[in-house]
Amino acid sequence: METNLHPSLHARTAPDRIAYRMAESGETVTYRQLDEASNRFAQLLRASGIAPGDHIALMVENHPRFYEICWGAQRAGAIYTAISTRLSVDEAAYIVNDCGAKLFVGSKRLAQVARELPGKAPAVRRWLMLDGTVEGYESLEAAMAAQPAARIADEVAGNDMLYSSGTTGRPKGVKIPFLREPIDATSPLLEVSRKVYGMDENTVYLSPAPLYHAAPLRFNMTVMRLGGTCVIMESFDPERFLALVQEHRVTHSQLVPTMFVRMLKLPPDVRARYDVSSLKCAVHAAAPCPVPVKHQMIEWWGPILYEYYAGTEGNGLTLVTSQEWLQRPGTVGRAMVGKLHICDDDGNELPPGEQGTIYFSDGRPFEYHNDPEKTAQATNRHGWTTLGDVGYVDEDGYLFLTDRKAFMIISGGVNIYPQEAENVLVMHPKVADVAVFGVPNEEFGEEVKAVVQPRDMRDATPEFAAELIAWCRERLAHIKCPKSVDFEAELPRAPTGKLYKRELRDRYWKGRDTRI
């Protein structure tokens, strides 16, 4: 594996090349500017007493300074935690305290939450803010301007420690070993991006998701490692995404299935208005993609979709090309990092075709920060680790996901995976989004419930509910279909596309001692 891939290299060889631009404001940051700013931030960390292996936190929207902070932390050997901008004060304070941050960067736009954090996180030594200040904070811009733009003497590679979304309780930090590697050391994602996705210095990467999330954070940094240019959307809009592809001749992007669904539901004349022929590679993950959705995307964009299955934990990765997927619709591919195992509840490995918990061996080690119990629960007796998902492999080692284990419905002793019904219901032309889960049933324990976000709330009628149940029953075994449908104007999804299903499900289980 090669090294020598880092923005600091491109600052020397192509200083005026744009490292990234913000889609709406148009602000650009060249490799020279990124190098100087990240050096200043690294110097600031050292001046603040932050040593290699120490933790910092940032809670910043998709902002032109975001990657100056991340690259500065990376060069200083800091472990940096990007916090979701959607969190409440108490949720953010929990992460700041749990990760052990010694320095915090906020932004004036998020001042409502930021101003209350210093009183709730006493271990933080220094509070900094972008675009202005509130009480308890000093200006990040002024603090950086006071530092030299020279490299620090003791550069060493830091890395992110990101928190799970917390759909099943308090979020947990995913901690990988701090190896004190050179700042330009390679990584599995870098190698896959070069060799499989074809990324290089000519890549134009469109980033449609919040940067605090693992995939956008890491993919953008990978493109900058390779010397390409990122176009960062402040927020996702389906038509705006297509316009940006055309405007910037975008070659690569990383999306989630809900984004595909939203683009496919644009009127045909709107979709046809934009030239997307520059796209060479559209990577997607985060949730299983309904088979009809992916078929339509490949028909529209060509066989350029690359799907992977992995988590923030980085313990393994599967990958599938469009060509392979078309031969095995629904697969998320074969293992590229780590080795795949499907196990029963006792840790016994199951043969091809049998459904069980998905484990990886021989991948990157990780632990859940400050939670040895959760780390132990994710590890079986062989030392293999799991993200808690359920699936099977075929005879050729291709993985098929069936669901998150936590959301399996057990009705009358039958295991039902709600993903199947969700994939069917979301294809109804009048449906914008859907969540399927188990609700209490006195006779069977649980029954299948669908909560649907219609494209038009005027359709939220008993007649439409009956139509959706019939639609599902035409396509799936009746036991897998909802017994009832409720409607919501908007489902609780993170901007990353992750559905907070627990939030919906808990409403139906209130006042009960058991959830199964």
Side-chain angles (χ1 to χ4, degrees):
M1 288 187 178
E2 293 179 28
T3 55
N4 299 323
L5 289 171
H6 192 269
S8 58
L9 167 73
H10 310 305
R12 296 193 298 274
T13 59
D16 297 325
R17 187 185 302 152
I18 293 169
Y20 57 92
R21 63 160 36 91
M22 304 306 295
E24 298 313 312
S25 72
E27 181 173 346
T28 61
V29 175
T30 66
Y31 276 99
R32 178 196 286 118
Q33 291 169 328
L34 178 59
D35 187 51
E36 290 177 356
S38 61
N39 279 330
R40 289 185 195 277
F41 190 72
Q43 294 277 6
L44 175 62
L45 292 179
R46 287 291 181 268
S48 305
I50 305 298
D54 284 347
H55 292 247
I56 71 165
L58 63 151
M59 190 173 182
V60 175
E61 70 274 19
N62 286 14
H63 190 288
R65 309 284 78 80
F66 188 96
Y67 279 112
E68 296 171 358
I69 296 164
C70 292
W71 281 116
Q74 191 267 350
R75 303 176 79 147
I79 312 303
Y80 49 99
T81 295
I83 298 174
S84 167
T85 55
R86 294 166 59 92
L87 298 188
S88 68
V89 174
D90 287 341
E91 289 170 324
Y94 164 78
I95 291 176
V96 172
N97 288 320
D98 187 71
C99 77
K102 294 181 177 179
L103 179 144
F104 177 88
V105 180
S107 84
K108 189 69 181 291
R109 182 174 160 190
L110 303 170
Q112 196 173 342
V113 169
R115 63 164 38 96
E116 292 188 46
L117 287 175
K120 293 175 179 282
V124 176
R125 297 175 187 166
R126 197 164 187 185
W127 298 88
L128 297 150
M129 186 170 280
L130 283 161
D131 300 332
T133 58
V134 294
E135 188 181 347
Y137 287 79
E138 41 181 320
S139 162
L140 176 67
E141 293 91 340
M144 285 174 62
Q147 297 296 328
R151 297 171 78 148
I152 57 173
D154 57 343
E155 281 187 338
V156 60
N159 53 265
D160 63 55
M161 186 176 89
L162 305 181
Y163 277 67
S164 66
S165 302
T167 51
T168 53
R170 284 286 203 184
K172 294 299 170 193
V174 176
K175 187 177 183 179
I176 62 169
F178 179 53
L179 301 175
R180 296 184 176 271
E181 293 181 318
I183 62 168
D184 59 356
T186 192
S187 69
L189 177 59
L190 184 66
E191 296 304 319
V192 168
S193 297
R194 294 169 70 194
K195 295 171 182 172
V196 180
Y197 304 145
M199 290 183 180
D200 58 21
E201 69 276 8
N202 299 311
T203 292
V204 180
Y205 175 82
L206 179 55
S207 182
L211 298 178
Y212 60 74
H213 193 61
L217 175 64
R218 295 169 182 171
F219 267 103
N220 279 292
M221 291 183 83
T222 297
V223 173
M224 289 177 233
R225 292 275 297 267
L226 294 164
T229 295
C230 301
V231 180
I232 298 170
M233 295 181 78
E234 284 84 346
S235 59
F236 177 73
D237 174 82
E239 185 174 353
R240 184 72 181 127
F241 179 94
L242 299 174
L244 289 165
V245 170
Q246 176 175 289
E247 180 184 347
H248 297 291
R249 303 302 293 158
V250 168
T251 60
H252 292 70
S253 188
Q254 194 268 337
L255 306 104
V256 294
T258 50
M259 294 174 179
F260 290 154
V261 170
R262 287 180 64 188
M263 286 190 280
L264 287 167
K265 289 190 175 177
L266 290 169
D269 62 313
V270 173
R271 283 171 47 188
R273 199 175 295 157
Y274 301 100
D275 176 9
V276 295
S277 62
S278 60
L279 279 171
K280 297 177 183 174
C281 173
V283 181
H284 70 100
C289 187
V291 168
V293 168
K294 189 153 174 178
H295 271 300
Q296 289 175 52
M297 288 304 301
I298 292 171
E299 196 177 313
W300 179 13
W301 286 3
I304 63 159
L305 270 65
Y306 290 77
E307 185 168 5
Y308 71 86
Y309 166 70
T312 305
E313 290 80 351
N315 60 330
L317 177 138
T318 70
L319 190 90
V320 65
T321 65
S322 291
Q323 290 86 349
E324 290 172 300
W325 185 90
L326 287 167
Q327 292 168 359
R328 296 172 172 82
T331 183
V332 292
R334 292 192 286 190
M336 289 277 293
V337 177
K339 188 180 174 191
L340 263 178
H341 308 272
I342 308 296
C343 297
D344 65 17
D345 290 341
D346 297 318
N348 302 310
E349 193 155 6
L350 296 169
E354 287 202 31
Q355 203 162 255
T357 304
I358 301 161
Y359 284 86
F360 284 101
S361 66
D362 308 326
R364 185 179 76 177
F366 74 92
E367 62 183 77
Y368 292 108
H369 187 57
N370 293 337
D371 198 337
E373 187 181 335
K374 186 176 167 84
T375 305
Q377 287 170 356
T379 311
N380 70 8
R381 58 190 167 87
H382 307 291
W384 307 338
T385 55
T386 182
L387 305 177
D389 294 317
V390 174
Y392 64 92
V393 293
D394 68 13
E395 295 286 349
D396 298 313
Y398 284 86
L399 175 65
F400 291 77
L401 300 179
T402 49
D403 221 316
R404 293 282 300 173
K405 197 170 189 178
F407 297 128
M408 184 173 71
I409 303 165
I410 304 174
S411 184
V414 177
N415 291 353
I416 300 165
Y417 294 97
Q419 190 72 49
E420 291 182 88
E422 287 173 352
N423 289 350
V424 166
L425 289 167
V426 81
M427 295 312 297
H428 192 288
K430 293 182 181 177
V431 170
D433 203 358
V434 62
V436 173
F437 48 87
V439 296
N441 178 290
E442 295 304 325
E443 184 180 353
F444 296 107
E446 286 185 282
E447 66 177 59
V448 182
K449 162 76 73 178
V451 178
V452 167
Q453 177 184 326
R455 295 184 73 181
D456 185 339
M457 274 304 282
R458 287 174 295 189
D459 289 326
T461 62
E463 292 75 21
F464 186 43
E467 181 185 331
L468 288 173
I469 292 169
W471 167 276
C472 197
R473 287 182 164 200
E474 284 168 23
R475 294 161 175 81
L476 279 182
H478 288 197
I479 194 169
K480 297 178 180 180
C481 297
K483 295 271 192 299
S484 58
V485 176
D486 292 345
F487 296 103
E488 293 277 346
E490 187 171 3
L491 296 193
R493 276 193 189 272
T496 55
K498 182 168 186 137
L499 177 67
Y500 293 118
K501 194 181 283 190
R502 178 78 57 189
E503 201 175 297
L504 290 168
R505 189 174 180 264
D506 283 355
R507 296 177 198 170
Y508 296 87
W509 291 86
K510 265 186 185 157
R512 291 180 175 256
D513 296 329
T514 177
R515 296 289 165 100
I516 52 173

